[in-house]
Amino acid sequence: MAAVQDGGSELEGEKEPKPELMNDGSTAPAAAPSSRPEDQQTLLAVLQFLKRNKLIESVDALRREAGLADEPEEAPGSEAAGGAGGAAAGSGELGDAGALLSRVSGGSQSAAAPAPAKGGDDQPDVSVVLSAYSQQGDPSLYQVYYSGLKKFIESVLDCHRAELSQLFYPLFVHMYLELVYNNHESEAKSFFEKFNGDQECYYQDDLRVLSGLTKKEHMKGNETLLDFRTSRFVLRISRDSYQLLKRHLQERQNNQIWNIIQEHLYIDIFDGMPRSKSQIDSMSGSLAGEAKREDNKTKVYYGLLKEPEIEVPLDDEDEEAENEEGKPKKKKPKKDSMGSKSKKQDPNAPQQNRIPLPELKDSDKLDKIMYMKEATKRIRLGPESLPSICFYTFLNAYQGLTAVDFTDDSSLLAGGFADSTVRVWSVTPKKLRKVKSAADLGMIDKESDDVLERIMDEKTASECKILYGHSGPVYGVSFSPDRNYLLSSSEDGTIRLWSLQTFTCLVAYKGHNYPVWDTQFSPYGYYFVSGGHDRVARLWATDHYQPLRMFAGHLADITCTRFHPNSNYVATGSADRTIRLWDVLNGHCVRVLTGHKGPIHSLAFSPNGKYLASGSTDGRVLLWDIGHGLMIGELKGHTDTIYALRFSRDGEILASGSMDNTVRLWDAIRAFDDVETDDFTAATGHVHLPDNSQELLLGTYLSKSTPVIHLHFTRRNLLLSAGAYNSQ
Amino acid sequence: MTEAREERRFAEVPRESIKLMAESAGVELGDDVAAMLAEDVCYRLREATQNSSQFMRHAKRRKLTVEDFNRALRWSNTETICGYGAQDALPFRPLKEGELFFVEDREVNLVELALATNIPKGCAETMVRVHVSYLDGKGNLEPQGTVPSAVQSLSDDLLKYYQQITRAILGEDPHLMKVALLDLQSNSKIAALLPYFVYVISGVKSVSHDLDQLNRLLHMVKSLVQNPYLYLGSYVRSLVSSVMYCILEPLAASINPLNDHWTLRDYAALLLSHIFWTHGDLVSGLYHQILLSLQKVLSDPVRPLCSHYGAVVGLHALGWKAVERVLYPHLPAYWANLQAVLDDYSVSNAQVKADGHKVYGAILVAVERLLKMKDVSLTGAAEGSAAALQNSAGGVIGFRESSPGLSPPPEPLSEPPLGIASHLQAGGAGCQWEEWTPVSLPAMYCELYSFFGDSLAVRFSTGPALGGAPSAAPIQSSDSRKEPGNGTANLESTRKMPQLTANMNISPRQDGSPRTEPAPPSLAATASGRREQARPSSRSASQSRDIFPKTRFTPPQAGPPAFSFLIGGRQMGRRCQGRRFQTSFTPTPLLTSLPPRAYAHKLPVIGRVSKPVRRWTCSHYSLYLPL
């Protein structure tokens, strides 16, 4: 299970469209080929690659391992090469395999990284990737082709025009790259100049990168370009529109464009009405186009796990004195809040033991009891009763505050700083104390009742503890639910586990060889997830020094990672402007959510596990229905990157915090209620978003020159926000 | 290539620069090579910049730093650029000759740096501060950010409060004012408004013609001082200076003799003492400053008498030690001036003379208290047994006398200044005390007696007189004890006495007609005391054997005031109550000219006790009123 799970599906994605386009009429999402031939194909591709690179021993070893005979392996290989698209297609396929290999084995993207260890030097690696562009056409005709297509698309009926316009961007990019690759620099430049302005504004960032690239040599190390090559750009087009396009291209004998469409694009054809411009716009914007529909077909068990039955001790009524009959009242809310749902298994919830969860310790049970008690005192929020907001301002944080986390009970606060330190503060009057040294511990009477108190060294009590260990900025911090541990992820490529008893580092998890942008503990502890610059999210268990799962598939850095409340899924947001949901059990990617127009920097699951909110650099918050894999809301208002998102404890309010020094509160209930997810929408995935951000916005709260980088609802629904005062 | 440069999509490195750099490294480059290199350099720079932006984004910053760029370089296996990590902006300068731009790189003198004595302190520690920024989603209770800013923005509510309060206090309605003052005294949420109120109060200087407004402002000071939720901090200085202004300045309002600025000064003085009493920690540094300014006023003969009066009551308010330190040493010099005023019987001098009597009375009260407290402190310290004896001997007066006898500080109501003085001394503020040689009580009494004669002695022994005939025996005993100490010295003073008494006898008649009720009662007060014998405390210092009968007979000549003698004499165990009593009784004979209310208003001045004292000692007063 520790292997990469995504390789297969990605390869499948790339191979699929070919047959589909060949036999013309067949339905687009051709049933996925059975996994057996699929695996074999992958193996063969790998073998071929190894052979090309004269890695005979590896070939032998792999062959032995796979139990493949010499003979059959030869045949399909040549078949593949000769089959579909002649030499170009063959090399393209090889290229894909090579690229995959490099990603899988090195966990890295070629040129920016030190040369991958296994794949030999990266020269052939990249060249195979790029060789797909080697097909020669008359460079001067590219502009003619493109403007011909443009003219055609502008002339078609309005209903088709919006859909076919989606073709512009990927075609533009690929044509430009072809020109560059074939050393037609000046043609490439004039092509770019001429059609650059036609592209959608949300691709500006990518276009900027592209425009700087004018030489073949530059293409080697460019990550954006590799992303473009290693994945097909996905378009969703209605059958009618597609037929229209196809007829046009066949009439014109426009092979150049047709080839690009065949090789580099994945056209997801659906039956029914063409989509409107706004529908398309809301879903597009990611680095590789929209998500394929079948990507989001897998069933996701988004329900919550059954809470363990815990007897609330009835004796200590002192706190409950406010309400006269403490016992019945105490019991009831407990049932209301979680009991009723968990009594009968939620149909959408995963099996209780779908993934093994740690046993509850006594202290955990005590904490649960505390939680329930607090929950009874929780304020019901709503549009009329907004939460109070407390701002935790970091002063004198000249070294740069990069990450913040609160414990669930809001008793501790951790800050990660750019000077490689992690600082932990006690938010309550209770000071932070270390455990005594081993020698001193030996002298303690272990039988005494207050042994837990005795092991603490009173001399070390202080409000703040500094944890030293990282050698780069700390980009992510996360407390374990039991408050015994703290995780921190850093630019130095490690994730460190700290003990909050001794305030020392326990483990440094090495696996990401690149900056780790985010990490988070599972809501049940034990597991944690991390993601970083190497585009692979990893699932770890605290007692394993190697990851349990690797979630590969993102085309750019993973910027944020979040656990689903039931701990069975992990959501990752990426700089490729997509969100992916991964199944912890088997490592599959079960949801790909597109629609953001900028890197995603914050994610939040609703407390009931049904919804996901995501915030990005474009200042928009998007709401997602996990069950259907649909976008169900768009919250506009922020003017800068959203670094913090959090649902209130009962899910009525969504709070978002941003670089623009504001906290905004949104009416989450209404946002989710307004959505009518009829069967049609669910089936086609054509969302139509109401533009009601202003009605959903309940309040905008300004801080004073302090970007909001973390939000937290206390157990009683008080909103805590944190950020560093920025004096400039 | 040239086209590319013309397009200028991005900042580009011209090939000339590349050539120059190559030359500096000793390499000769061809044009084409330089052009190729230039283009590649541009591209690499762009790429590195684009990569570095993600480090900026993850550090949650808006500003790209050198550090970010270096990280991008490091991760692409390129050497990093060192030396530009400083946070400050680097000045980028053009050179006039030739189009050359460069980053200023100043030379650093390492020797100087290494041997520098002003080692910079480490920057402040990173910390976290909490604010309730928005309560129930609305309202900004406190501006978040904790950046101390001079201008605190006020919420609308506070602003409205401020307007209402100031309007009520400075307005016409006395009832509203009372409510506003009460609220000001107990409101816990007005910390943000403090500077504004202090500012309003500092406006005393612009309303010096309006006694009423001055009074209101002083009341405002009192409310602020009494508000337990307010931390006055450095604003206390401003408050003190406003109060001092009311005490010392020759207010425009005092030009008109009908204006009772005396009350105002008394009240201000009491306020001052109250501030010192309750906020001693804040104002201890001011103590000497104030003493000095009081002393300056007192020693300046050009100042009007009302200023002198203010200085005296101010000193009085600061405690008997202040009186001992400043007033007492200045008395001989000042006395001559005062005497001159008092001795001038011309009609044109009538007003001034009346003022002079005020000062006289004030001084008298101050020095009497000085004597008394000094005695108490001596007896308290040296012989507790004597006090006990005296108490038992005092009989009827015993419980009155006992309180000062026990320990002065715990009696804030009537003796705040003493408490403060001792507090200050303990606090180390009294640096001048050391150089000043204390005068012994007998010597002091002698000297004072030389000025005041009998009027002083009378004030001393208010208590024993209460007993009148019945308590004759204890009085005698104490008197007899007193006498030997001071026998010879008093000869002189007895010589002076008649002068004074004569003045007193005459002055009421002279001044009485226009309005100067103040004068006669003050006389009455002194006179009333006169017949009472020296109080026990001064017994060690004074004789009053021969004076006693004399004084007893003098007052009857004065005529009307005789009433008050009788009553006052019987009444008072302590000065305060005594005066109180007089104020309520002396008017009767003089009722003619003024309505009783105005009278009551003024009388405390006459009796040298101002209203607040009455308020504070209210319980005592009510207790004794029935007598």
Side-chain angles (χ1 to χ4, degrees):
Chain A
M1 270 308 150
V4 175
Q5 295 290 341
D6 197 50
S9 68
E10 192 172 299
L11 197 69
E12 164 195 326
E14 289 175 4
K15 296 211 164 148
E16 225 167 20
K18 240 172 284 151
E20 175 217 324
L21 281 175
M22 296 310 328
N23 53 21
D24 189 7
S26 73
T27 51
S34 66
S35 71
R36 190 62 206 142
E38 185 66 28
D39 285 351
Q40 205 146 7
Q41 236 171 340
T42 313
L43 260 181
L44 291 178
V46 170
L47 277 174
Q48 200 158 13
F49 173 80
L50 291 174
K51 235 184 210 173
R52 266 172 79 104
N53 287 294
K54 317 261 186 316
L55 298 167
I56 307 301
E57 286 162 40
S58 311
V59 172
D60 289 344
L62 183 62
R63 209 173 268 159
R64 244 178 286 122
E65 281 293 311
L68 282 176
D70 247 337
E71 308 314 317
E73 168 263 320
E74 209 67 64
S78 57
E79 195 181 281
S91 63
E93 192 173 312
L94 283 173
D96 289 346
L100 270 174
L101 187 70
S102 79
R103 298 167 67 77
V104 170
S105 57
S108 63
Q109 62 289 51
S110 43
K118 286 190 204 166
D121 63 341
D122 65 353
Q123 192 58 33
D125 197 1
V126 174
S127 65
V128 282
V129 170
L130 297 178
S131 60
Y133 283 126
S134 64
Q135 57 183 208
Q136 274 285 13
D138 186 350
S140 55
L141 287 179
Y142 273 56
Q143 289 195 25
V144 179
Y145 292 147
Y146 188 85
S147 46
L149 183 72
K150 192 175 152 192
K151 217 171 277 162
F152 160 70
I153 290 177
E154 276 165 1
S155 67
V156 297
L157 285 174
D158 281 0
C159 61
H160 300 301
R161 190 189 300 148
E163 289 210 307
L164 291 180
S165 300
Q166 297 179 81
L167 276 168
F168 282 140
Y169 175 67
L171 277 180
F172 171 80
V173 173
H174 284 288
M175 288 172 86
Y176 177 74
L177 290 178
E178 264 187 34
L179 285 172
V180 171
Y181 185 79
N182 294 316
N183 288 320
H184 305 299
E185 193 178 327
S186 54
E187 283 90 349
K189 270 182 184 154
S190 65
F191 180 79
F192 191 93
E193 285 303 307
K194 191 159 181 196
F195 302 111
N196 173 28
D198 297 345
Q199 312 308 326
E200 298 285 351
C201 55
Y202 39 80
Y203 292 121
Q204 280 309 315
D205 286 346
D206 289 343
L207 288 175
R208 205 172 298 131
V209 174
L210 210 59
S211 67
L213 188 125
T214 50
K215 293 218 181 308
K216 190 177 174 183
E217 296 81 57
H218 296 161
M219 298 172 80
K220 275 174 199 159
N222 196 300
E223 296 170 29
T224 318
L225 188 110
L226 277 171
D227 294 334
F228 239 96
R229 287 300 307 120
T230 49
S231 63
R232 283 163 191 277
F233 199 92
V234 181
L235 301 169
R236 270 191 217 174
I237 292 182
S238 70
R239 183 171 305 287
D240 294 349
S241 305
Y242 179 68
Q243 299 286 14
L244 214 61
L245 173 73
K246 203 175 156 207
R247 207 172 305 132
H248 167 76
L249 291 178
Q250 276 172 353
E251 275 170 19
R252 292 293 177 88
Q253 297 286 309
N254 201 337
N255 284 327
Q256 206 67 35
I257 288 179
W258 186 240
N259 282 342
I260 289 177
I261 291 177
Q262 280 194 4
E263 283 161 32
H264 302 304
L265 306 190
Y266 178 101
I267 297 185
D268 189 353
I269 299 167
F270 61 86
D271 295 301
M273 282 281 289
R275 292 186 297 168
S276 72
K277 177 96 173 89
S278 68
Q279 278 177 319
I280 293 167
D281 278 349
S282 66
M283 294 292 286
S284 54
S286 99
L287 200 61
E290 293 182 46
K292 284 172 249 173
R293 269 178 302 158
E294 77 266 15
D295 281 348
N296 292 338
K297 290 289 184 226
T298 324
K299 177 162 173 59
V300 172
Y301 302 99
Y302 56 78
L304 300 184
L305 295 179
K306 205 161 76 178
E307 287 292 320
E309 288 291 318
I310 295 175
E311 279 301 309
V312 178
L314 303 173
D315 47 359
D316 53 352
E317 253 160 83
D318 43 350
E319 299 171 48
E320 306 293 323
E322 307 94 276
N323 45 6
E324 317 83 309
E325 357 89 84
K327 293 170 218 172
K329 272 211 175 159
K330 204 186 321 171
K331 277 258 174 181
K332 243 180 231 161
K334 175 191 142 207
K335 272 180 200 155
D336 286 347
S337 56
M338 50 196 64
S340 60
K341 225 179 286 166
S342 57
K343 275 287 181 286
K344 51 177 171 21
Q345 175 80 24
D346 183 341
N348 292 312
Q351 286 276 310
Q352 201 70 15
N353 54 357
R354 189 164 176 269
I355 61 160
L357 293 173
E359 287 281 309
L360 278 186
K361 295 190 295 262
D362 283 353
S363 58
D364 298 332
K365 286 180 182 159
L366 278 177
D367 197 53
K368 279 258 188 300
I369 291 166
M370 276 304 295
Y371 175 79
M372 288 171 193
K373 280 183 180 164
E374 289 279 298
T376 60
K377 295 173 188 164
R378 183 181 295 162
I379 298 163
R380 275 230 160 267
L381 297 180
E384 279 75 43
S385 59
L386 294 174
S388 301
I389 306 177
C390 279
F391 208 104
Y392 285 78
T393 313
F394 287 73
L395 299 172
N396 308 320
Y398 305 112
Q399 66 275 54
L401 177 71
T402 42
V404 178
D405 194 32
F406 282 97
T407 51
D408 185 68
D409 68 348
S410 319
S411 64
L412 298 176
L413 167 68
F417 290 86
D419 68 352
S420 320
T421 59
V422 179
R423 286 158 206 254
V424 184
W425 279 271
S426 170
V427 173
T428 59
K430 207 175 140 198
K431 298 244 168 105
L432 301 172
R433 295 171 301 176
K434 288 184 192 176
V435 170
K436 285 179 183 161
S437 69
D440 291 343
L441 283 178
M443 298 180 341
I444 289 174
D445 173 17
K446 286 160 194 76
E447 303 303 313
S448 71
D449 290 339
D450 58 344
V451 68
L452 286 178
E453 190 59 30
R454 289 193 188 193
I455 59 171
M456 306 313 287
D457 187 354
E458 206 54 54
K459 286 196 291 290
T460 60
S462 66
E463 231 172 59
C464 169
K465 291 262 184 268
I466 307 181
L467 308 175
Y468 297 102
H470 282 296
S471 59
V474 179
Y475 290 119
V477 287
S478 174
F479 281 105
S480 72
D482 61 3
R483 298 187 293 284
N484 282 327
Y485 305 105
L486 175 70
L487 276 176
S488 63
S489 68
S490 159
E491 192 245 12
D492 63 13
T494 62
I495 303 146
R496 280 175 187 266
L497 182 74
W498 308 85
S499 163
L500 297 182
Q501 301 295 334
T502 60
F503 292 97
T504 51
C505 182
L506 302 176
V507 196
Y509 300 96
K510 296 175 182 174
H512 294 277
N513 289 318
Y514 290 88
V516 188
W517 298 132
D518 199 9
T519 184
Q520 203 210 8
F521 252 114
S522 147
Y524 293 89
Y526 186 60
Y527 300 108
F528 64 93
V529 64
S530 66
H533 184 61
D534 61 3
R535 305 160 184 214
V536 180
R538 287 168 163 80
L539 179 86
W540 311 73
T542 48
D543 55 358
H544 287 62
Y545 65 91
Q546 285 188 319
L548 304 181
R549 299 280 183 281
M550 287 168 56
F551 306 115
H554 276 297
L555 301 174
D557 300 29
I558 291 171
T559 49
C560 53
T561 55
R562 281 293 170 275
F563 255 100
H564 189 276
N566 68 19
S567 200
N568 278 255
Y569 296 92
V570 164
T572 55
S574 162
D576 68 8
R577 307 189 284 269
T578 63
I579 300 153
R580 283 172 187 256
L581 192 70
W582 310 87
D583 192 336
V584 166
L585 181 67
N586 50 26
H588 286 313
C589 174
V590 290
R591 290 286 178 273
V592 180
L593 308 171
T594 63
H596 272 296
K597 315 288 190 256
I600 290 139
H601 275 275
S602 52
L603 289 170
F605 281 97
S606 68
N608 61 11
K610 248 180 121 172
Y611 304 106
L612 178 68
S614 58
S616 82
T617 55
D618 59 11
R620 296 186 313 149
V621 177
L622 295 184
L623 304 173
W624 310 90
D625 180 336
I626 295 170
H628 296 104
L630 289 178
M631 187 195 297
I632 51 169
E634 178 189 22
L635 306 174
K636 286 186 273 193
H638 281 293
T639 57
D640 210 327
T641 308
I642 295 162
Y643 280 116
L645 276 173
R646 191 61 80 121
F647 281 95
S648 67
R649 291 283 174 160
D650 295 323
E652 312 97 330
I653 300 269
L654 173 66
S656 59
S658 153
M659 263 307 250
D660 63 12
N661 302 345
T662 60
V663 174
R664 283 168 206 258
L665 300 179
W666 311 87
D667 189 342
I669 299 246
R670 200 172 145 200
F672 297 136
D673 281 354
D674 279 1
V675 181
E676 74 289 357
T677 34
D678 50 50
D679 289 345
F680 174 75
T681 320
T684 57
H686 300 168
V687 293
H688 193 79
L689 292 179
D691 186 17
N692 56 355
S693 296
Q694 285 318 305
E695 297 155 42
L696 297 176
L697 179 64
L698 298 177
T700 303
Y701 303 99
L702 271 168
S703 75
K704 193 168 175 177
S705 189
T706 309
V708 183
I709 65 171
H710 190 76
L711 291 169
H712 175 80
F713 274 97
T714 66
R715 290 172 173 179
R716 298 187 188 186
N717 266 341
L718 174 70
L719 179 57
L720 310 181
S721 50
Y725 174 70
N726 180 6
S727 53
Q728 286 134 23
Chain B
M1 231 48 71
T2 45
E3 292 164 34
R5 223 171 303 133
E6 278 154 20
E7 284 171 17
R8 290 260 168 203
R9 277 202 301 258
F10 303 100
E12 288 183 10
V13 181
R15 70 189 120 157
E16 288 79 14
S17 302
I18 299 287
K19 270 186 169 173
L20 279 174
M21 282 180 230
E23 272 171 33
S24 70
V27 185
E28 191 75 28
L29 286 184
D31 256 8
D32 50 341
V33 180
M36 293 277 277
L37 268 178
E39 220 178 335
D40 198 57
V41 164
C42 292
Y43 173 73
R44 300 294 164 199
L45 276 177
R46 273 200 296 278
E47 195 183 26
T49 315
Q50 274 153 4
N51 288 341
S52 63
S53 72
Q54 68 187 345
F55 290 97
M56 173 192 74
R57 259 187 275 125
H58 283 281
K60 288 153 178 128
R61 265 185 280 115
R62 275 197 203 85
K63 192 169 154 191
L64 191 71
T65 63
V66 177
E67 184 72 358
D68 293 331
F69 198 81
N70 274 342
R71 283 187 203 291
L73 289 181
R74 204 173 311 138
W75 283 112
S76 50
N77 288 338
T78 312
E79 252 178 71
T80 57
I81 304 162
C82 299
Y84 296 93
Q87 301 270 321
D88 334 330
L90 293 166
F92 194 65
R93 298 188 182 286
L95 198 68
K96 283 232 176 71
E97 312 84 47
E99 285 182 24
L100 196 57
F101 297 86
F102 63 97
V103 174
E104 199 173 43
D105 196 3
R106 266 193 238 103
E107 275 181 26
V108 177
N109 189 341
L110 282 178
V111 178
E112 219 166 73
L113 198 68
L115 301 178
T117 47
N118 58 333
I119 299 158
K121 299 246 170 62
C123 63
E125 205 183 326
T126 308
M127 52 179 161
V128 186
R129 284 289 169 271
V130 203
H131 317 261
V132 177
S133 302
Y134 293 92
L135 200 57
D136 295 334
K138 54 184 173 279
N140 204 352
L141 292 188
E142 272 175 68
Q144 176 271 331
T146 58
V147 191
S149 65
V151 186
Q152 269 182 312
S153 57
L154 291 177
S155 73
D156 281 353
D157 289 347
L158 274 180
L159 211 60
K160 214 182 269 173
Y161 176 86
Y162 167 78
Q163 283 165 351
Q164 296 289 346
I165 287 285
T166 46
R167 208 171 288 157
I169 292 179
L170 300 179
E172 296 299 316
D173 189 341
H175 179 70
L176 258 183
M177 179 180 96
K178 207 177 268 175
V179 171
L181 286 173
L182 269 178
D183 189 73
L184 208 55
Q185 199 172 317
S186 55
N187 198 319
S188 59
K189 301 184 182 70
I190 54 171
L193 286 175
L194 181 61
Y196 294 82
F197 286 130
V198 169
Y199 178 76
V200 168
I201 289 164
S202 70
V204 285
K205 291 171 180 106
S206 56
V207 292
S208 73
H209 58 279
D210 189 342
L211 270 185
D212 210 33
Q213 294 287 19
L214 288 174
N215 241 319
R216 287 160 185 269
L217 288 175
L218 284 181
H219 276 98
M220 206 156 150
V221 174
K222 182 172 163 255
S223 290
L224 289 178
V225 169
Q226 288 187 332
N227 189 326
Y229 304 102
L230 279 183
Y231 176 72
L232 296 177
S234 55
Y235 291 115
V236 83
R237 288 175 167 267
S238 173
L239 291 180
V240 165
S241 84
S242 297
V243 171
M244 289 297 287
Y245 180 88
C246 293
I247 296 176
L248 284 183
E249 287 307 309
L251 303 170
S254 41
I255 293 170
N256 183 353
L258 288 174
N259 279 334
D260 182 14
H261 56 100
W262 309 104
T263 320
L264 182 81
R265 291 179 202 276
D266 283 339
Y267 182 50
L270 263 150
L271 207 50
L272 184 69
S273 99
H274 186 64
I275 290 174
F276 271 89
W277 178 257
T278 52
H279 293 78
D281 50 332
L282 293 178
V283 291
S284 56
L286 286 177
Y287 184 73
H288 282 281
Q289 212 175 318
I290 290 172
L291 277 192
L292 281 179
S293 60
L294 290 173
Q295 180 178 340
K296 216 177 100 193
V297 171
L298 202 61
S299 56
D300 183 359
V302 183
R303 294 263 187 164
L305 283 169
C306 55
S307 285
H308 292 153
Y309 177 84
V312 174
V313 292
L315 285 167
H316 181 64
L318 287 177
W320 64 273
K321 290 197 170 160
V323 175
E324 187 182 27
R325 269 291 287 112
V326 181
L327 180 61
Y328 176 73
H330 274 81
L331 211 49
Y334 186 70
W335 195 254
N337 295 328
L338 186 61
Q339 193 82 47
V341 171
L342 293 179
D343 283 349
D344 185 350
Y345 294 100
S346 65
V347 176
S348 61
N349 191 47
Q351 181 59 47
V352 179
K353 188 159 150 24
D355 289 356
H357 279 293
K358 293 292 294 187
V359 180
Y360 175 83
I363 294 176
L364 191 56
V365 169
V367 297
E368 275 169 1
R369 233 270 299 274
L370 164 65
L371 286 173
K372 179 178 157 196
M373 294 317 296
K374 205 165 159 66
D375 173 56
V376 165
S377 69
L378 284 178
T379 45
E383 35 140 358
S385 58
L389 171 73
Q390 176 216 324
N391 285 343
S392 58
V396 195
I397 59 154
F399 71 102
R400 283 277 90 195
E401 291 287 336
S402 68
S403 38
L406 285 174
S407 62
E411 211 190 356
L413 290 183
S414 52
E415 310 286 351
L418 169 73
I420 287 150
S422 54
H423 159 86
L424 287 170
Q425 211 172 14
C431 53
Q432 284 179 27
W433 296 122
E434 279 85 17
E435 46 193 292
W436 169 72
T437 47
V439 183
S440 73
L441 184 59
M444 185 182 286
Y445 184 78
C446 285
E447 190 171 352
L448 289 177
Y449 193 84
S450 70
F451 296 131
F452 294 98
D454 249 0
S455 54
L456 185 66
V458 171
R459 298 304 299 168
F460 251 77
S461 53
T462 50
L466 187 95
S471 61
I475 294 161
Q476 291 294 351
S477 71
S478 63
D479 279 346
S480 59
R481 234 183 291 157
K482 232 176 288 170
E483 276 168 83
N486 214 14
T488 49
N490 271 332
L491 292 174
E492 248 186 289
S493 57
T494 45
R495 230 178 294 131
K496 265 187 184 172
M497 254 320 288
Q499 283 186 337
L500 273 177
T501 46
N503 285 343
M504 283 187 264
N505 292 337
I506 297 158
S507 54
R509 256 172 263 138
Q510 273 195 336
D511 304 343
S513 44
R515 60 97 229 175
T516 29
E517 290 74 30
S522 84
L523 272 185
T526 49
S528 74
R530 206 176 295 150
R531 155 198 100 144
E532 302 160 17
Q533 65 209 98
R535 45 154 315 213
S537 54
S538 57
R539 75 203 100 120
S540 57
S542 69
Q543 55 72 289
S544 42
R545 194 92 290 268
D546 52 346
I547 292 156
F548 186 61
K550 222 184 194 173
T551 51
R552 177 167 267 167
F553 299 123
T554 336
Q557 301 166 2
F563 265 155
S564 64
F565 301 164
L566 199 74
I567 300 157
R570 294 184 58 197
Q571 167 74 17
M572 54 198 64
R574 281 168 60 70
R575 284 164 305 114
C576 287
Q577 269 69 30
R579 254 176 263 127
R580 188 110 350 286
F581 195 83
Q582 288 160 12
T583 56
S584 41
F585 279 80
T586 31
T588 29
L590 299 165
L591 250 177
T592 49
S593 55
L594 276 182
R597 203 170 142 52
Y599 229 66
H601 191 54
K602 291 183 187 200
L603 279 168
V605 189
I606 297 155
R608 286 157 302 177
V609 172
S610 44
K611 260 186 200 157
V613 167
R614 175 167 34 167
R615 204 177 305 154
W616 296 344
T617 56
C618 202
S619 55
H620 299 275
Y621 181 30
S622 60
L623 253 181
Y624 282 88
L625 188 58
L627 287 170

